[in-house]
Amino acid sequence: MCGIIARIGRGDAADTLLSGLENLEYRGYDSAGIAVQNGSGVKVHKCSGEVSELKADLPKAPSGNMGIGHTRWSTHGPPTDENAHPHTDTAGDVAVVHNGVIENYEVLKAELQSRGHEFESDTDTEVIPHLIDEYRETAATTEAAVRQAVATLEGSYAIAAIVDGEEAVYAARQGSPLVLGIDADEWYLASDVPAFLDHTDEVIYLEDGDVVVLEPDAYRITDRDGNPVTRSVDTVDWDPEDAGKGEYDHYMRKEIDSQPSALSNTIEGRIEDGEVALEGLPAGTFADVETVQFVACGTSYHAAMYGEQLLKAAGVHAQVIRASEYDSMAGPVDETTLAVAVTQSGETADTLDAIRTASGRGARTLAVTNVVGSTAAREADDAVYIRAGPEVGVAATKTYSSQAVTLALLTQRLAADVSGGATLEDVETMLATLEDLPDHVEEVLEASRAETLAREFLDSRSYFFIGHGLGYSVALEGALKFKEITYEHAEGFASGELKHGPLALVTDETPIFAVFTGHDDGKTKTNAIEAQARGAPVVAVCPDDHPAVEVADAHLSIPETHPVWAGLLANVQLQLVSYHAADLLGRPIDKPRNLAKSVTVE
């Protein structure tokens, strides 16, 4: 879950590498480094800490028209100066940055040490420059040596390397994301598009097994055997300003506030004559499906719960499975199974592994993702995009809303096709009120009392979130956001489960945030009152005229809407509570400890 960048072209590379690392810091921020090649050696500068510390440690940016950079999220070895990337061979002639996990590095390291190679770090990555260096002694070219090196590796990797005296960047991909950016005078490689979006929107999404060589005036892509490979050039439709923080203090707050426009993009063109119209998935697309499995992790899992519950309500057999548990929890899978991978980045390792397993068992696969050209989108049989735009804050906000809406639409497309299924009785009302959702979110953002309540409950011992039906997934998501960025203890529960154990933890220092969707809210109200009787302050998240307002200690208002969308409005309120609490506590909101945005390792 690291971020890598490489650049070659005219002019000095260092400033571009550093700005690219800043744009990638959501992928890891416990150490950073760059290496620049300028004809007089490979110059490496790296340190533990954030990119800002690396910049401060550089009295002057090193000169050179090509280089590589890295921002790290530790997997092998603690965040130290020695473990920071780039890593080099013993002589310092080969420098490498790497995202992924080399599973056989211990064996390779022992073999290299027995042949006289000296190591300075605890990382798995360091074996790579040593392998390249050793193979260069017998290979016809450095490119051939890189091929030999990656053929030796087991595990996942996106690699970029530079070599002393050579005006080229060498790269390879297997199981970790890598994208090539194409500009008039320079080429880029990065883990994600925002790294170079300020410079170009023309990209090539590289695939597993690709080996790339960038030179000042050309690039070439081949397979591991050296055979030329053609990859399509795509245009990214993200505005560079969308990937920036603008006037906001934090990316997370900007992304919370951008949900009205993100949802408008998600909805646009997908409702026609009162029916769902998903591009590329016309009526009858899923006529042969009998069972739907949603696979996802984290926030995407909570969004997938939305899809599961709506499909069950429509009479379709559905289940949501944590991607990391798919092997043991999937049950029977065959050609009548549709496996839906819900992944914001399209690169989540556990989710990719799950849909590959499902596909191997005969299932049809569908990716619901935010990134065109991502691995999930390419490998699945079909893809639906949530269209939320770039999200930089580690704690997902707008992507959850857009995922839930996209999945809600998908469920109605599925229900209309699958034998025995039927769209919701009031689907026309549901779709009509969906078009009001962006405006309703704007109302919540303008009138929220979340900051006042966050301040009031700031010294609480624990924070509980409860909900029923669709409100349960919102409760789980609210608790996840709170614990991610405040570091305070928070848990989400199905309303009816509160009295089956968790009630023992309730005191007057345990505020209860109760989500009311307007559908079967009795359990949530009853259990909130039971917690209140034990001293817990209750915050009702619901419309102003909801009966819960009369019994609650505090109220976070949402507009009247269809029950399917009420939970998403409640979620915006809970996002704001988490944000303001974290801000009041002085937490690093965009860079919560131990977490990274795109989990590309298992």
Side-chain angles (χ1 to χ4, degrees):
M1 296 191 310
C2 304
I4 67 175
I5 186 170
R7 180 267 192 193
I8 186 169
R10 300 176 185 175
D12 285 340
D15 287 341
T16 302
L17 295 173
L18 290 168
S19 64
L21 290 181
E22 289 176 320
N23 292 338
L24 285 175
E25 206 164 12
Y26 59 88
R27 297 183 64 91
Y29 34 87
D30 61 32
S31 60
I34 62 171
V36 174
Q37 215 276 81
N38 59 9
S40 60
V42 174
K43 307 299 183 184
V44 176
H45 302 270
K46 61 182 183 175
C47 66
S48 60
E50 300 181 3
V51 177
S52 60
E53 295 175 68
L54 173 66
K55 292 177 71 174
D57 195 49
L58 283 172
K60 181 181 178 181
S63 61
N65 73 323
M66 54 177 287
I68 55 179
H70 188 273
T71 181
R72 183 172 185 247
W73 187 87
S74 303
T75 54
H76 291 78
T80 63
D81 291 353
E82 293 77 16
N83 289 336
H85 298 214
H87 290 288
T88 66
D89 64 312
T90 303
D93 293 334
V94 180
V96 169
V97 292
H98 162 232
N99 175 33
V101 175
I102 306 304
E103 295 173 358
N104 61 334
Y105 86 97
E106 291 177 324
V107 172
L108 294 174
K109 183 175 181 177
E111 293 174 352
L112 288 162
Q113 287 176 320
S114 71
R115 295 195 290 270
H117 291 262
E118 298 176 2
F119 286 76
E120 297 181 353
S121 79
D122 302 316
T123 70
D124 55 339
T125 301
E126 196 177 358
V127 300
I128 303 171
H130 287 274
L131 287 170
I132 295 173
D133 172 60
E134 187 169 276
Y135 288 131
R136 285 178 70 221
E137 296 178 4
T138 56
T141 63
T142 297
E143 181 180 347
V146 170
R147 294 183 194 285
Q148 285 183 269
V150 298
T152 308
L153 305 177
E154 297 176 7
S156 62
Y157 54 79
I159 296 165
I162 58 174
V163 178
D164 183 26
E166 298 189 20
E167 205 167 13
V169 175
Y170 303 93
R173 173 199 160 137
Q174 180 64 43
S176 290
L178 193 61
V179 58
L180 170 62
I182 302 171
D183 199 7
D185 298 319
E186 51 198 6
W187 318 113
Y188 303 88
L189 284 164
S191 301
D192 207 350
V193 171
F196 52 71
L197 193 56
D198 289 337
H199 303 279
T200 182
D201 60 1
E202 299 293 310
V203 304
I204 294 175
Y205 293 97
L206 300 171
E207 300 187 16
D208 284 351
D210 285 354
V211 177
V212 183
V213 180
L214 307 183
E215 296 173 332
D217 57 355
Y219 69 87
R220 61 181 180 276
I221 306 171
T222 59
D223 62 21
R224 290 196 192 98
D225 296 324
N227 302 307
V229 172
T230 300
R231 300 280 180 240
S232 62
V233 179
D234 294 320
T235 301
V236 178
D237 62 358
W238 291 350
D239 187 328
E241 291 186 5
D242 290 342
K245 194 157 46 178
E247 298 179 354
Y248 285 85
D249 292 331
H250 302 98
Y251 284 107
M252 183 180 179
R253 183 56 199 261
K254 178 188 176 183
E255 288 156 3
I256 291 173
D257 284 0
S258 70
Q259 285 177 106
S261 60
L263 288 168
S264 293
N265 290 336
T266 300
I267 298 165
E268 184 180 3
R270 288 175 165 173
I271 302 171
E272 295 180 0
D273 300 325
E275 296 184 351
V276 174
L278 289 175
E279 59 278 10
L281 302 175
T285 298
F286 302 110
D288 57 349
V289 171
E290 296 180 4
T291 301
V292 179
Q293 295 180 332
F294 296 96
V295 292
C297 305
T299 288
S300 295
Y301 178 87
H302 299 153
M305 290 176 66
Y306 240 76
E308 179 205 32
Q309 292 177 48
L310 288 172
L311 271 186
K312 286 181 174 178
V316 178
H317 184 264
Q319 64 181 141
V320 58
I321 305 170
R322 296 187 189 276
S324 59
E325 297 294 312
Y326 187 80
D327 270 348
S328 58
M329 300 294 291
V333 175
D334 58 27
E335 66 277 1
T336 66
T337 305
L338 176 68
V340 181
V342 186
T343 162
Q344 179 271 327
S345 67
E347 304 292 350
T348 307
D350 286 327
T351 305
L352 290 173
D353 186 60
I355 59 168
R356 288 164 182 161
T357 300
S359 181
R361 297 178 184 177
R364 181 175 171 182
T365 57
L366 170 68
V368 176
T369 183
N370 196 34
V371 183
V372 176
S374 61
T375 302
R378 291 198 313 270
E379 293 193 5
D381 296 317
D382 296 289
V384 178
Y385 298 102
I386 69 172
R387 305 174 180 169
E391 185 176 67
V392 176
V394 169
T397 51
K398 65 177 181 177
T399 52
Y400 171 79
S401 301
S402 291
Q403 283 176 329
V405 168
T406 303
L407 288 168
L409 293 172
L410 176 63
T411 62
Q412 301 312 293
R413 170 75 275 137
L414 282 161
D417 286 353
V418 175
S419 177
T423 55
L424 299 180
E425 290 183 3
D426 62 346
V427 66
E428 290 188 10
T429 302
M430 168 191 160
L431 295 178
T433 51
L434 173 58
E435 296 187 285
D436 295 326
L437 184 61
D439 289 337
H440 286 160
V441 171
E442 191 68 56
E443 289 180 36
V444 171
L445 293 169
E446 290 176 354
S448 177
R449 296 182 58 249
E451 183 174 7
T452 299
L453 288 180
R455 191 179 300 276
E456 179 179 346
F457 297 122
L458 194 62
D459 296 326
S460 299
R461 179 173 295 178
S462 293
Y463 301 80
F464 284 1
F465 298 76
I466 63 172
H468 179 66
L470 293 175
Y472 173 42
S473 65
V474 175
L476 291 176
E477 177 61 13
L480 177 61
K481 285 290 120 0
F482 202 90
K483 68 182 73 173
E484 280 180 321
I485 64 169
T486 69
Y487 308 159
E488 300 298 313
H489 180 250
E491 295 294 338
F493 302 101
S495 301
E497 288 300 303
L498 199 60
K499 57 184 174 290
H500 294 287
L503 202 58
L505 302 175
V506 168
T507 69
D508 58 0
E509 295 183 283
T510 314
I512 308 288
F513 291 86
V515 176
F516 296 92
T517 64
H519 176 71
D520 199 13
D521 284 337
K523 286 185 179 180
T524 302
K525 182 181 175 183
T526 297
N527 283 273
I529 292 172
E530 288 178 355
Q532 190 181 48
R534 275 77 178 173
V538 171
V539 180
V541 191
C542 58
D544 292 341
D545 61 355
H546 194 284
V549 176
E550 297 179 5
V551 298
D553 299 285
H555 174 220
L556 288 170
S557 178
I558 62 173
E560 290 279 357
T561 188
H562 191 281
V564 170
W565 314 125
L568 301 185
L569 296 173
N571 179 64
V572 175
Q573 287 282 24
L574 298 181
Q575 289 172 349
L576 290 168
V577 170
S578 298
Y579 172 81
H580 287 299
D583 196 31
L584 290 165
L585 290 166
R587 307 301 192 214
I589 291 172
D590 289 331
K591 302 172 185 177
R593 67 188 178 201
N594 303 330
L595 301 178
K597 182 70 175 172
S598 181
V599 185
T600 56
V601 295
E602 295 182 9

